[in-house]
Every structure is written in C-alpha cells, then in structure tokens.
Amino acid sequence: MKHPIARTSNGTAVYVDLIHSQAAVLIGRQPRLLDLVKKIIAQTAADAPIVRIESNMGRAIGYNFVVKTSAVDTVLYAQLVRDVTYTRFVKNGKPITTKYLSLILRRDDRSDYELHELWLGRLRPARPGSDGETAASRTYWADHAFVLDSQPVQPRTITKVCPY
C-alpha cells in the first residue's frame, strides 16, 4: 500500500509502502516520526537515484539502537526474520538518546521516490552482505552493532563467528 508523504523542495512526490518497506516497521511503532519525515523531505531537493539524508532535529527524538562496541562486549551475529543478511548484535548494550533522523529515498520507475529506510540516529553504511554494501560497510560494522533487544531473529542462524 503506497501512502503519499510529501513532495521534495523541487516537486518530486515521495511515498512509503506501509506494508513491505523497511521504513514501515519504524513508522508502525512510532507514527509521529512521519511528521518529522514530511518536514525533512519538504526541505530536500532530490534528483539522484538514491538519496541518503541525515537531519539534526535540534532536540532528542528517541533512541539510537546502533552503538559503538569494544573488545570487552559480547557480540553475536544472526539473521532477522525474513532477512538473508547477517546483523551484528551486542548483548547488554544500551541505546543512546539521539536528535538525528536518517532516511533513504529510492527513485522508482515513475521518477517518484519511495521512502525505503528510516531510522533514529546518524547515517550509517549498509550491513555487509546486503544489496547496499559499500567500501565503508565492513569497517563501520566491525566496531558497531545493534543493541540486542526484542528483534525477531532466526534462532538457527545465531553465531559468535563473523559471517563476513
């Protein structure tokens, strides 16, 4: 289900798929974020196939669940339910208050943008092994991880050995 959100400052329509997109998960949990997304999009001129945006909202807006890790942290890897890419997790980590909201827009075949991803916190590279992996992915994720909370993981994929 495509839900229109806003138009960029240069007039391009932006929508979100409220059923299948990664952004839909966070919007479902925190629908108020959609108002912040609308403001960010309205201030952004977009013309690239993929647009990565990091916006400082000027006040605390929630918690960032991706934290820096150290050698003393207990780290594990697992695939989330309905995901083939391994995610790095840290046990006993604490999420950090953030004032940043990051989003990724992808141009569709009609030249509109879909809000593909949305998260609280600063921009970060895609996870290693994912479609969006970059040269910075492995370096970044070598010392950052998601705080292990209530994410639905595939139990048979849990490992302490780095899969990438």
Side-chain angles (χ1 to χ4, degrees), residues 6 17-19 24 28 40 55 65 76 80 96 108 133:
D17 182 336
L18 290 175
I19 306 295
I40 294 167
S55 184
F65 280 80
L76 58 95
L80 294 167
I96 318 164
D108 67 13
E133 180 178 0

Side-chain angles (χ1 to χ4, degrees), residues 35-44 53 55 57 101 103:
D35 289 333
L36 298 177
V37 169
K38 288 177 185 180
K39 290 177 186 176
I40 294 167
I41 290 170
Q43 298 170 359
T44 302
I53 304 166
S55 184
M57 304 310 296
L101 185 61
L103 45 124

Side-chain angles (χ1 to χ4, degrees), residues 85-87 125-131 133-134 136-139 141-142 164:
T85 304
Y86 275 84
T87 300
R127 294 171 295 152
S130 68
D131 292 340
E133 180 178 0
T134 66
S137 293
R138 290 180 191 256
T139 304
W141 289 106
Y164 40 81

Side-chain angles (χ1 to χ4, degrees), residues 94-109:
K94 301 285 185 215
I96 318 164
T97 303
T98 186
K99 57 185 175 180
Y100 291 93
L101 185 61
S102 295
L103 45 124
I104 297 177
L105 306 176
R106 289 196 175 168
R107 190 179 295 274
D108 67 13
D109 55 358

Side-chain angles (χ1 to χ4, degrees), residues 29-80:
R29 283 190 222 137
Q30 298 182 42
R32 66 177 177 77
L33 290 178
L34 208 47
D35 289 333
L36 298 177
V37 169
K38 288 177 185 180
K39 290 177 186 176
I40 294 167
I41 290 170
Q43 298 170 359
T44 302
D47 57 4
I50 297 174
V51 179
R52 298 172 52 84
I53 304 166
E54 174 184 283
S55 184
N56 181 338
M57 304 310 296
R59 60 181 169 81
I61 58 169
Y63 292 95
N64 182 358
F65 280 80
V66 173
V67 296
K68 192 160 180 67
T69 58
S70 69
V72 298
D73 289 319
T74 303
V75 172
L76 58 95
Y77 303 84
Q79 291 175 339
L80 294 167

